[in-house]
Amino acid sequence: MSERSERRRESIERARAAEAQRRRERRIRFGAAVAALIVIVAVGVVIQLTRDKADPNAPRPKGVTEVGGGVTVGSAGTGAPVIDIYEDFQCPICKEFEAETGPLLAELATSGQARLVYHPMSFLGEESDRAANASGCAADEGRFKEFHDTLFANQPDGENTGAWTDDALIALGQKAGVTGEGFAQCVRDGRYDEWTQQVDQESSERGVTGTPTVFIDGAELPRDSYTPAGIRAALPPRSRAFR
Amino acid sequence: MANWLGTLLRLVLAGVFAASGLLKVADPTESVRAVQAYDLLPYGLARFVGYGLPFLEIAIALLLLVGLATRFAAGLAAVLLVVFICAVAAAWARGLTIDCGCFGGGGQVAQGDTKYVQEIGRDVALLAAAGWLVGRPRSRFAIDHIAHQEQAA
């Protein structure tokens, strides 16, 4: 009798010890999992921070003063309203936007009523990168706007079709009157690849999530105002009176 | 039998999370833009999420793959999936036209190109899988149960 109860107590104790052991193991596994998670995420964030960091000394096209800054077009003075335009050369809606509002924007720039700042983004793939780099090269020759217009006028049907090779972009440059000797070399070297990346980052910082996106004197233009009338209405009253 | 189902669900979830994480890691700028497109977080936070989320997904995938702390990993996956579903639903409800950026990409798309129904549907299905593993984390080929299986043998 007493031997049986003794044995039962022993088996209960053994079960209890096994249960405690199992619980300990579970705690260890949980701890290992949490540690692995934290390490992976922390290391990952650090890696991405480093990869995404702009090198302030990377070459920038002529006239671009800030890291990731856009290309200014027009001769308007410092008092004139600033129109920031974020576009991807491969984006079909940008092409439509250019077709509709391009003439007005050009007029505002040449007449000195507004300063245009073009930010060539490159989030639609390799050929956007290449086109944006080439636009920086054209800016060096003082022909950004001409090249920009030519690219949109000759936008391929579809993205990354293989149409915009370096040679094709150089040919389009010639069409736009970019004849300087350095242009072809600059396009081939991808001299402004890093700049285009920085333009993308700056746009991200500014909350640009699609193209085209337009800011007038720092205020984002509402989506329904991407028309000549919409842009006119958004300009400050003084410059509106000019027209 | 149910243990094998657990293994299958673990591997499916691990595969989907690994793919979504790895595809996003390649382009950190794009990843941040995809988060920003939801218009829910300020830039500083969106940046942190854009950088960190892909790695969190990869880490969860690894845990599920080897079956370490399965209930915890599946629970975390479920929490993330609920967050994703809410975020996509919020974008939809506010009339945004974005790609969820679930597997890289993301950002704004044309009016007719949104896929909110498919995106939410997929996440709900994955949520069901994660829910099963939270309720019944036991499965074959899991570190969690190696010691146990040996004992039983």
Side-chain angles (χ1 to χ4, degrees):
Chain A
M1 192 69 186
S2 83
E3 200 183 309
R4 220 156 101 197
S5 75
E6 178 77 6
R7 236 183 305 168
R8 192 183 298 159
R9 203 181 39 207
E10 253 174 41
S11 89
I12 289 173
E13 259 167 31
R14 230 176 310 147
R16 227 176 252 159
E19 174 60 28
Q21 173 71 15
R22 221 172 303 148
R23 216 173 292 159
R24 217 170 8 248
E25 281 172 9
R26 201 180 306 150
R27 254 204 313 271
I28 291 170
R29 285 197 302 267
F30 178 74
V34 171
L37 219 69
I38 291 173
V39 169
I40 290 174
V41 173
V43 169
V45 168
V46 171
I47 290 174
Q48 300 298 58
L49 268 173
T50 341
R51 282 179 66 203
D52 223 8
K53 192 147 78 190
D55 172 10
N57 298 317
R60 290 193 290 271
K62 202 188 273 176
V64 176
T65 49
E66 283 162 46
V67 175
V71 177
T72 302
V73 169
S75 52
T78 44
V82 177
I83 305 181
D84 283 291
I85 303 159
Y86 291 81
E87 292 173 323
D88 188 306
F89 288 117
Q90 286 201 97
C91 138
I93 312 175
C94 300
K95 183 189 166 98
E96 282 169 31
F97 170 76
E98 280 297 326
E100 199 182 347
T101 64
L104 168 70
L105 291 171
E107 184 205 312
L108 289 171
T110 46
S111 63
Q113 291 176 71
R115 203 142 44 96
L116 309 183
V117 183
Y118 284 96
H119 305 253
M121 290 176 63
S122 46
F123 68 103
L124 292 179
E126 199 192 338
E127 292 190 25
S128 293
D129 294 332
R130 223 177 276 153
N133 169 63
S135 77
C137 300
D140 278 352
E141 314 275 336
R143 292 205 169 257
F144 174 86
K145 184 69 165 72
E146 291 83 347
F147 186 65
H148 160 277
D149 293 349
T150 306
L151 284 185
F152 277 117
N154 293 279
Q155 192 183 66
D157 228 1
E159 289 155 19
N160 303 307
T161 56
W164 277 355
T165 58
D166 286 344
D167 286 335
L169 290 167
I170 291 164
L172 285 172
Q174 265 152 11
K175 212 170 179 173
V178 193
T179 49
E181 274 175 23
F183 179 69
Q185 198 58 45
C186 172
V187 171
R188 290 212 174 89
D189 290 350
R191 186 176 302 155
Y192 297 123
D193 281 349
E194 191 148 355
W195 170 67
T196 64
Q197 238 178 309
Q198 292 166 352
V199 169
D200 263 11
Q201 275 165 35
E202 190 272 341
S203 73
S204 197
E205 222 161 303
R206 206 164 177 183
V208 176
T209 55
T211 53
T213 296
V214 175
F215 293 85
I216 295 186
D217 274 340
E220 190 173 340
L221 193 65
R223 282 283 143 195
D224 54 4
S225 300
Y226 282 54
T227 56
I231 288 175
R232 276 218 178 85
L235 286 171
R238 197 168 55 86
S239 53
R240 241 186 291 167
F242 270 129
R243 68 166 192 265
Chain B
M1 200 57 208
N3 286 354
W4 285 108
L5 177 61
T7 309
L8 179 72
L9 294 179
R10 255 176 47 216
L11 294 180
V12 167
L13 274 174
V16 173
F17 270 77
S20 71
L22 288 172
L23 286 167
K24 277 183 280 215
V25 160
D27 190 341
T29 312
E30 179 182 87
S31 178
V32 173
R33 188 183 301 120
V35 176
Q36 275 185 300
Y38 286 88
D39 208 6
L40 292 169
L41 300 174
Y43 178 66
L45 262 179
R47 200 160 165 228
F48 182 74
V49 172
Y51 291 162
L53 179 63
F55 287 95
L56 182 60
E57 289 171 329
I58 290 170
I60 290 173
L62 287 175
L63 291 180
L64 288 169
L65 179 69
V66 299
L68 177 64
T70 303
R71 175 174 274 161
F72 167 70
L76 214 52
V79 170
L80 271 187
L81 286 164
V82 169
V83 170
F84 294 161
I85 291 167
C86 291
V88 172
W92 194 3
R94 285 174 300 157
L96 302 184
T97 52
I98 62 170
D99 178 280
C100 71
C102 304
F103 299 90
Q108 290 183 9
V109 295
Q111 197 85 42
D113 287 350
T114 56
K115 299 194 181 70
Y116 295 131
V117 177
Q118 295 95 308
E119 286 163 3
I120 290 176
R122 183 188 53 218
D123 285 354
V124 168
L126 292 171
L127 182 59
W132 167 279
L133 286 172
V134 171
R136 199 184 177 293
R138 173 162 301 209
S139 62
R140 304 290 302 226
F141 295 120
I143 289 182
D144 283 343
H145 307 298
I146 281 177
H148 212 66
Q149 274 158 16
E150 275 170 0
Q151 257 175 26

